[in-house]
Amino acid sequence: EPEVTQTPSHQVTQMGQEVILRCVPISNHLYFYWYRQILGQKVEFLVSFYNNEISEKSEIFDDQFSVERPDGSNFTLKIRSTKLEDSAMYFCASPTGPNSPLHFGNGTRLTVT
Amino acid sequence: DQQVKQNSPSLSVQEGRISILNCDYTNSMFDYFLWYKKYPAEGPTFLISISSIKDKNEDGRFTVFLNKSAKHLSLHIVPSQPGDSAVYFCAASDPSGTYKYIFGTGTRLKVLA
């Protein structure tokens, strides 16, 4: 079964630092998503990315966040100046085909100290 | 604004018995629903889905029922196995925008041997 791969699995950073989370989504699909889950809470939508552009973003996805597809395969989520409340699991997701469910990566656990 | 709700944070069931997990939603425009299973430190894993044109979908031990008039869906697992112990999230696909998923808060299922 095709996989969504995320790196690193765990990132610890100090408040105010920039972090970049990386994802290699299932290839040949144009839609990619980032979600996050704060410990013990629900999985929340952050942003969707279609054809190299942001197509939709949530209220959480403020100016501190950005997404890029730097080289046609990797898909990154950048947080410019991390805050304590950014500590969460961040998941990348993509569909396996048209009208198919999203497959999620195993996530990056971000800890902001 | 919780558009998708799972009112039971936890459920314990004996091995071999039926597990029933419930989910309610508020937006009548939702037309596609999914159940995901999640282990700690892993991404959500797709289990089963249902379109709003159906009221039941079955896949092995897993059956999802949809009651559109009540805006309610449920996941039945029969027979339950200890390996089913995990957190289960229901999700609805939001047709406005990019079909992002809106997740419930999850139900932690524990299957007792």
Side-chain angles (χ1 to χ4, degrees):
Chain A
E1 184 175 286
E3 280 191 1
V4 177
T5 306
Q6 290 187 245
T7 56
S9 57
H10 191 189
Q11 174 92 47
V12 182
T13 189
Q14 289 193 327
M15 197 167 53
Q17 296 297 302
E18 174 183 284
V19 293
I20 298 176
L21 312 181
R22 292 182 168 79
C23 171
V24 180
I26 296 169
S27 60
N28 303 320
H29 293 291
L30 297 176
Y31 262 114
F32 311 110
Y33 299 78
W34 283 98
Y35 287 77
R36 78 169 186 191
Q37 184 188 26
I38 294 172
L39 185 63
Q41 298 186 22
K42 64 180 178 179
V43 178
E44 301 175 288
F45 167 76
L46 289 178
V47 65
S48 59
F49 196 76
Y50 173 73
N51 207 20
N52 295 324
E53 288 185 351
I54 290 176
S55 49
E56 186 178 0
K57 58 185 180 179
S58 71
E59 293 174 353
I60 303 166
F61 196 90
D62 61 22
D63 291 343
Q64 294 302 311
F65 290 86
S66 61
V67 288
E68 283 184 3
R69 200 172 179 200
D71 59 11
S73 59
N74 291 299
F75 181 41
T76 63
L77 175 70
K78 184 193 291 186
I79 310 175
R80 264 182 272 281
S81 178
T82 50
K83 305 186 284 285
L84 293 175
E85 54 264 38
D86 293 328
S87 295
M89 286 287 291
Y90 287 81
F91 297 105
C92 172
S94 66
T96 54
N99 302 316
S100 65
L102 289 182
H103 279 244
F104 287 78
N106 275 336
T108 294
R109 178 177 297 282
L110 176 65
T111 303
V112 182
T113 62
Chain B
D1 174 26
Q2 275 191 276
Q3 297 190 69
V4 179
K5 300 177 199 175
Q6 293 174 257
N7 291 319
S8 298
S10 64
L11 175 68
S12 290
V13 170
Q14 282 296 129
E15 181 179 7
R17 306 296 290 268
I18 184 170
S19 295
I20 300 176
L21 297 100
N22 294 303
C23 180
D24 297 293
Y25 61 95
T26 57
N27 189 338
S28 56
M29 299 301 292
F30 291 157
D31 59 2
Y32 182 61
F33 304 89
L34 310 95
W35 283 94
Y36 280 83
K37 175 180 177 180
K38 189 178 180 304
Y39 294 114
E42 292 186 12
T45 302
F46 170 71
L47 269 180
I48 192 168
S49 62
I50 188 166
S51 162
S52 60
I53 62 172
K54 294 187 171 182
D55 54 19
K56 177 182 173 181
N57 188 25
E58 195 170 348
D59 183 3
R61 296 185 299 113
F62 302 92
T63 304
V64 56
F65 295 93
L66 176 63
N67 182 334
K68 281 198 325 184
S69 60
K71 296 193 184 72
H72 177 85
L73 64 154
S74 60
L75 174 69
H76 293 209
I77 307 173
V78 181
S80 302
Q81 299 172 354
D84 295 330
S85 298
V87 178
Y88 289 78
F89 290 94
C90 69
S93 177
D94 184 354
S96 65
T98 58
Y99 292 90
K100 64 181 182 292
Y101 292 174
I102 297 174
F103 283 85
T105 48
T107 296
R108 181 177 302 279
L109 173 66
K110 189 170 183 180
V111 180
L112 307 168

